[in-house]
Amino acid sequence: MQRQSAARLGPLLLLLLLPLACGKGPSPPRAAEELQVSNRLAGQAARVALHYLNYRLGSPSALRALGQVRKATLKTIPGIGHKYYLQFTTEDYKSSLDVGTCLATVFYLKRKPRPAVNINCTYTKDQKQIREDDYSFYKKMRQQTKPIIGNDIPDSYGNIEPALEPAWALAVAGSSYLMWEKSTENLGYFMAQVKNVKQWITKDDSIDFDYSVVLHEIPTQEMISCHLRVIWTPGHPLKVKYFCSSENQWSESEEGSGTESGSTSGIFNEKEANF
Ligand SMILES: *[C@@H]1O[C@H](CO)[C@@H](O)[C@H](O)[C@H]1NC(C)=O
């Protein structure tokens, strides 16, 4: 009993001593700081991790959106950057059904252009079904003799024409790449609408789409128009090229690598209890 209450007092004593310790040296490294799960920057960092995941998996049938942040810790590394340690639930992008929990770190480095992400997730969606859905979309697109053309997806009522849904999902996966690249600790992005889509009939194994998309920037509420080229073969990384009205040059995903500023190692199929 006594030992327990002493243990409880430990952190309290530390808190009392901390101001004294901090008063001395010139800004010592700050310890990890627990954030409220409702913290805006924690949600923002979790979305960045999911942009990265959605792009890296390159699977239009496996897109995830943020459910709820369960745990968030921020570590400030003076002169280097801010690192978020996160645990959050995810939802299927289309059905909003729960599809598993993720553990992620998102590291905003002062001298690097995009956040470094490491993410591992459990999944509850049937992986075989995902592969089959991806493949049937791919096959349908390969058999297309007249290229798919469409605009305003979703339309002003929020509806997506079923025939255009897979092309829209591929736009979400592709724009996840640029949303990951553009994200900062303070600025986040959602893909609001595909203004138009045009398919390119290719001779090789890939399917190839041109998109104009509108991104919604938060918290500024700005709308940003981007042009996107997405080339995809199931089971391979997406190739993405983009050009946004706010910049004046094309950017391109580096095919197949991607380990230098993030990783999705160990997307494993285990129960959430292991987290
Ligand atoms: C993800 O799993 C890998 C391999 O088990 C591990 O090295 C890494 O730290 C994990 N990442 C996170 C954010 O938990």
Side-chain angles (χ1 to χ4, degrees):
M1 248 343 220
Q2 229 164 7
R3 197 182 284 168
Q4 237 178 21
S5 53
R8 273 202 207 115
L9 273 177
L12 196 66
L13 284 174
L14 201 64
L15 274 180
L16 290 171
L17 291 172
L18 216 54
L20 291 175
C22 289
K24 284 181 189 159
S27 71
R30 221 175 351 136
E33 172 193 351
E34 185 99 17
L35 302 176
Q36 301 245 312
V37 294
S38 59
N39 184 292
R40 185 181 76 81
L41 297 181
Q44 157 62 9
R47 281 188 201 94
V48 169
L50 285 174
H51 289 328
Y52 179 75
L53 183 77
N54 286 338
Y55 154 63
R56 285 297 293 172
L57 291 184
S59 164
S61 312
L63 296 170
R64 298 187 194 214
L66 179 61
Q68 272 171 342
V69 176
R70 289 250 188 90
K71 206 167 184 306
T73 308
L74 167 61
K75 209 163 149 189
T76 302
I77 304 166
I80 311 267
H82 286 172
K83 192 166 185 178
Y84 289 77
Y85 296 80
L86 306 153
Q87 186 188 329
F88 52 89
T89 61
T90 58
E91 294 175 351
D92 182 78
Y93 206 92
K94 291 172 228 177
S95 68
S96 295
L97 292 174
D98 182 86
V99 283
T101 304
C102 303
L103 283 180
T105 58
V106 176
F107 200 178
Y108 300 101
L109 292 143
K110 282 204 166 119
R111 281 180 251 290
K112 282 272 175 73
R114 60 190 179 191
V117 176
N118 190 293
I119 179 166
N120 296 327
C121 303
T122 60
Y123 45 77
T124 54
K125 208 173 164 183
D126 181 7
Q127 295 304 294
K128 194 162 160 265
Q129 189 63 50
I130 285 176
R131 279 194 298 274
E132 281 172 14
D133 290 350
D134 275 354
Y135 192 71
S136 70
F137 162 52
Y138 169 77
K139 220 169 101 194
K140 219 160 115 197
M141 292 303 112
R142 291 291 306 160
Q143 286 162 354
Q144 207 73 23
T145 46
K146 258 178 50 190
I148 290 223
I149 290 175
N151 43 50
D152 297 337
I153 327 171
D155 64 19
S156 46
Y157 303 103
N159 297 325
I160 296 178
E161 206 184 300
L164 292 175
E165 209 215 77
W168 166 81
L170 190 61
V172 174
S175 56
S176 294
Y177 172 72
L178 73 108
M179 293 193 283
W180 163 51
E181 279 222 327
K182 290 173 83 64
S183 291
T184 64
E185 192 170 8
N186 279 298
L187 290 182
Y189 299 89
F190 290 89
M191 211 265 287
Q193 195 187 34
V194 172
K195 286 314 275 182
N196 49 64
V197 52
K198 182 180 186 305
Q199 183 183 11
W200 295 93
I201 302 288
T202 57
K203 292 211 165 64
D204 63 11
D205 284 345
S206 63
I207 59 172
D208 190 337
F209 287 90
D210 249 340
Y211 296 100
S212 295
V213 300
V214 180
L215 303 183
H216 183 188
E217 186 180 82
I218 47 162
T220 62
Q221 304 294 345
E222 259 183 71
M223 300 304 248
I224 298 168
S225 298
C226 299
H227 189 83
L228 202 62
R229 182 82 179 247
V230 181
I231 302 174
W232 182 59
T233 316
H236 290 270
L238 287 177
K239 283 188 219 167
V240 183
K241 254 181 159 182
Y242 72 89
F243 184 102
C244 296
S245 52
S246 52
E247 292 141 35
N248 34 30
Q249 60 179 27
W250 283 89
S251 303
E252 195 169 356
S253 62
E254 66 291 315
E255 188 190 345
S257 73
T259 41
E260 105 288 347
S261 58
S263 79
T264 53
S265 57
I267 310 278
F268 45 89
N269 187 5
E270 288 181 57
K271 292 275 174 328
E272 278 192 26
N274 288 344
F275 271 38

